[in-house]
Amino acid sequence: MHRSTKTATAAIALIWASLYAQTAFAETSENAGNSEAGGDVADNGNAPAAQDGEETSRGDVIIVTARRRQETAQEVPLAISVIRGDSVESTGNFNVVKLQQLAPTLQVYTSNPRNTAVNIRGLGVPYGLTSDGFEQGVGIYVDDVYNARVAAATFDFLDVEQVEVLRGPQGTLYGKNTTAGAINITTNQPTFDFEGRAEVTVGNLNFRQAKAAISGPLSDTIAARIAVATTSRRGTIFNVTSDRYINEQDNLGLRGTLLFQPNDDLSVTLSGDYSKQNPECCGTVFVRVGRTQRALARQYEALAAAQGYSVVSRNPFDRLTDIDASLNAGNKIGGASFKVKWDVGPGTFTSISAWRFWDWKPENDRDFTGLSIVAKSQNPSQQNQYSQEFRYNYSGDAIDFVVGVFGFKQRIDTQGVEQQGINASRWNLTGALANNPAVLNGLTALNTQYLKSTSAALFGQLSWKITDALTIQPGIRINYDKKEGFYQRRVVDGAGVEISCFNPAPPAGSIRAAQCGVYQPQLSAPSVSDWNFSYDLNVNYKLAEDVLAYATYAKSFKTVGINQNGLPTDAAGNPILAAGVIKPESVNHFEVGLKTQLWDRKATFNLAAFRTDIKNYQATVTNGQLGVLRGYLANAGKVRSQGLEADLKIRPSDRFSAYANAAYTDAKYVRFVDAPCPPELAGGTTATAANPPSPPGTAGGFSPANCDISGQRLPGVSKWAISYGAEVNTPLTLFATEGQLYVGFDGNYRSGFSSNPSPSIYTNIEGYALSNYRVGFRSDNFEIYGWVRNVFDVNYFELLQVAPSNVGLVAGQLGDPRTVGATVKLSF
């Protein structure tokens, strides 16, 4: 847990005595205007804020970097949510996973840092086990640097200025192509005025969080900034087997930045960051058992009884588990970037060179029980990525444009170990072999794999102001991708003898045949390259000074993929090589929107309607058998996501503000005729013309080889998602310090959603609403407040998972219970 490191970091934060005390009610338009050029301005539908001086009476002005140039939020003709750093802190949303509580169209699901899905409007990456062989649909950018691994989403925000969530394809403005949207994170930059800030938070569950940053000049032309953040918390589930709490938090992050600015036309920035996590994570709790089509004696209840096993609790919200395998989510991520910005003539040239690494050391309990069925499940991997982007921005009276080139190279190496335990034979075999633990005990699959990925692109977008009111914005992207993979699985038995399952195949009913039914050796080396051309067109019209209407069409793609975790096999056990390559997705996106400011800009109301159609959708296909093939990619015929989004923010005075954001999302498979079957239709003898599929949940029945789930909802997407909040304050002098006493509230609601790639009656998650409160005092350089999150202690699931082997066991990951605490901030 590295408690000593965390204590030392907190002490450093206090010694620095620095804090960022600008809150959502005290941010000035002058500060917002100091955002780095090359970005967009977006409206803040999520975080109410006030401006000092003249702007206060006319609402706030927020500068963003979404379109690679400075402009206000309401001038940006696309759907975008902006959450400023102070609002991120005050609402307790300290990473992307938490951020979805403020941005309703953002969905983040994580069973561990590697198996994390970040989606917008239900699109982005397929739901289920992550494969290295495909790209993200939602790009995560930190200071213009693309983060290829979604594990970055699980780390704490570090000295963040603001976060922009852009919805819809962004490939003509960003280095790496993104088909569903982008999360653009901007950190605070070095200053030539000395400043510092620090904050310390304590709460129940032994929650401890400390953040600090210090910035200032080293000379007339060089400035530096150093930031540190640390978070620790006791786990929320008690494991009776290990006699300790699991699913804890244990994060440490460091960032350093040097700025060289010899004149107003040139700036050179060198940044480096390092973050690590080392929690005992990520375990599950028993949720329920559902009837599958496996023989009744081979389903969960009968198998558990035959081995004298009883789960510690059948009520998941007792927060008890008895999983027996070791757990770890060791996670290190970091890198360095070198950025040059040079005003050349009428435009700005920008170069961003970056290197990033990711080191992942997991240990999991893949059977979700206190039995030793899967004794080990460990797939550590190491990634290095290099990227280079050149971009030129031009702004004129009638024409603005951005043109850029992007290069990306990545390598990922993985060394996997999966091992069967002493209870595996009874769980997976039949007859006399099921009563012999030695058949499978110690059977081990050793997986070695690597991925080499190369990408290059030319992109650009033109903004032509035909009149003062009418603007047309076309954009194009030309993209090249190449992927080379290698996968080898070697299998050894409990005696350490390497086994072969082919040429010749072992006799049916033999011990070796039983072992080959669980782990089979395999070798594959898929390779593919592909060119893509995509484009978009935006037309926007100013109906009035504060009313902007826009319409967008985008033809986009997600690049070709490969199956990197092994391939499905034919009847003879040979890998199906044709399944090694996954077709690129073809995306057609339509969107119309209206952005308005009313009541002398004291109210903002934005509305967007969208439809996205994707052909050859890259879906995750899972296999119910232990160890044979955990998951692979395949193309679904077509999916569609459509819906409406509305953002409302009001600030009638300096003393009150409120916001409400709502999203209706209808996301479904339009055509997916050969999908994996849900558990209630899996596990039985494969159906034939003479023996058609049995009704769902028929023990010992006939199961279809695959299922047609056309027309069913995509997993992880709530039809309705709403976030809302308000804050009221009054002047107060405390200890001779003038400031404000304030009370704030924020909440969110999500309707029910499916938690399985193929919708199942056993994995639907009911809707829930969460409410958070805070009350405190703030001044220009000091703030103290108390907070309660999930104030009504709502019980809810973040994720449900179906156990392997079609035994009907469903395990889950729980949302946080009620948490309470206090935060102190200082600044100078």
Side-chain angles (χ1 to χ4, degrees), residues 401-731:
F401 69 81
V402 178
V403 63
V405 294
F406 177 76
F408 175 83
K409 192 173 184 65
Q410 176 188 45
R411 173 158 181 148
I412 305 174
D413 290 276
T414 302
Q415 312 83 32
V417 177
E418 294 188 23
Q419 186 176 84
Q420 299 288 285
I422 197 166
N423 302 115
S425 294
R426 175 58 67 99
W427 209 258
N428 293 294
L429 305 179
T430 59
L433 295 179
N435 297 316
N436 183 358
V439 175
L440 296 184
N441 188 30
L443 183 71
T444 304
L446 303 170
N447 305 320
T448 301
Q449 56 185 293
Y450 68 75
L451 170 74
K452 299 177 183 178
S453 179
T454 303
S455 180
L458 170 67
F459 60 92
Q461 188 180 91
L462 173 71
S463 180
W464 178 23
K465 303 164 190 163
I466 297 177
T467 69
D468 289 341
L470 177 64
T471 301
I472 296 178
Q473 294 179 178
I476 63 169
R477 181 184 186 89
I478 302 171
N479 206 91
Y480 171 77
D481 287 282
K482 182 178 181 180
K483 289 183 168 63
E484 299 175 84
F486 173 82
Y487 176 84
Q488 182 181 38
R489 180 167 58 208
R490 298 169 48 240
V491 181
V492 297
D493 62 18
V497 177
E498 187 165 353
I499 70 172
S500 174
C501 297
F502 314 106
N503 300 320
S510 66
I511 288 177
R512 193 64 86 208
Q515 293 170 340
C516 288
V518 175
Y519 292 144
Q520 295 178 0
Q522 188 177 119
L523 178 67
S524 64
S527 178
V528 67
S529 62
D530 192 37
W531 286 89
N532 294 96
F533 175 74
S534 57
Y535 54 89
D536 55 39
L537 177 64
N538 176 280
V539 179
N540 56 86
Y541 187 81
K542 252 191 171 179
L543 302 174
E545 180 183 2
D546 294 323
V547 181
L548 178 70
Y550 67 89
T552 298
Y553 168 71
K555 174 65 175 177
S556 187
F557 72 98
K558 186 196 285 187
T559 186
V560 67
I562 61 173
N563 268 310
Q564 187 59 24
N565 295 340
L567 300 177
T569 56
D570 59 22
N574 299 308
I576 302 174
L577 298 181
V581 175
I582 312 303
K583 297 177 183 177
E585 293 182 352
S586 177
V587 181
N588 283 283
H589 174 77
F590 306 86
E591 184 168 332
V592 295
L594 188 68
K595 310 187 89 167
T596 67
Q597 288 187 296
L598 313 167
W599 196 8
D600 199 21
R601 294 187 179 174
K602 295 175 182 177
T604 299
F605 178 70
N606 297 329
L607 189 67
F610 66 91
R611 174 169 174 145
T612 305
D613 294 294
I614 300 180
K615 293 182 179 179
N616 293 321
Y617 178 74
Q618 294 174 355
T620 296
V621 176
T622 55
N623 189 305
Q625 294 182 348
L626 271 172
V628 174
L629 189 63
R630 292 178 58 187
Y632 63 98
L633 292 173
N635 291 109
K638 185 177 180 179
V639 303
R640 183 208 68 204
S641 177
Q642 61 184 9
L644 293 170
E645 299 163 349
D647 302 306
L648 172 66
K649 176 184 60 176
I650 61 170
R651 187 177 178 274
S653 73
D654 291 345
R655 303 294 168 225
F656 176 77
S657 65
Y659 70 93
N661 307 319
Y664 171 79
T665 307
D666 176 22
K668 70 177 184 180
Y669 299 103
V670 176
R671 185 174 66 256
F672 196 1
V673 298
D674 55 353
C677 292
E680 56 266 36
L681 285 172
T685 303
T686 302
T688 62
N691 296 296
S694 305
T698 302
F702 294 94
S703 298
N706 46 56
C707 287
D708 184 353
I709 60 173
S710 304
Q712 299 194 44
R713 293 169 57 192
L714 287 176
V717 189
S718 299
K719 279 198 170 183
W720 289 100
I722 305 171
S723 64
Y724 38 85
E727 187 172 293
V728 61
N729 69 76
T730 186

Side-chain angles (χ1 to χ4, degrees), residues 147-172:
N147 283 250
R149 304 304 303 174
V150 291
T154 68
F155 282 98
D156 292 357
F157 291 136
L158 184 56
D159 199 24
V160 165
E161 179 186 20
Q162 69 183 22
V163 181
E164 303 158 16
V165 181
L166 290 72
R167 284 106 75 180
Q170 305 296 326
T172 64

Side-chain angles (χ1 to χ4, degrees), residues 1 3 6 94 98 203-208 231-236 245-251 279 814-817 819:
M1 287 294 294
R3 303 295 183 193
K6 296 181 178 301
F94 52 84
K98 300 287 186 182
N204 66 331
L205 304 179
N206 294 327
F207 182 74
R208 302 289 185 270
T231 302
S232 65
R233 192 187 72 178
R234 193 201 76 190
T236 57
Y245 286 93
I246 62 171
N247 294 7
E248 57 202 7
Q249 294 178 6
D250 183 12
N251 304 339
L814 305 176
D816 285 347
T819 55

Side-chain angles (χ1 to χ4, degrees), residues 114-115 129-134 149 562-565 631 633:
R114 184 178 189 273
N115 292 319
L129 290 171
T130 301
S131 169
D132 295 326
F134 67 94
R149 304 304 303 174
I562 61 173
N563 268 310
Q564 187 59 24
N565 295 340
L633 292 173

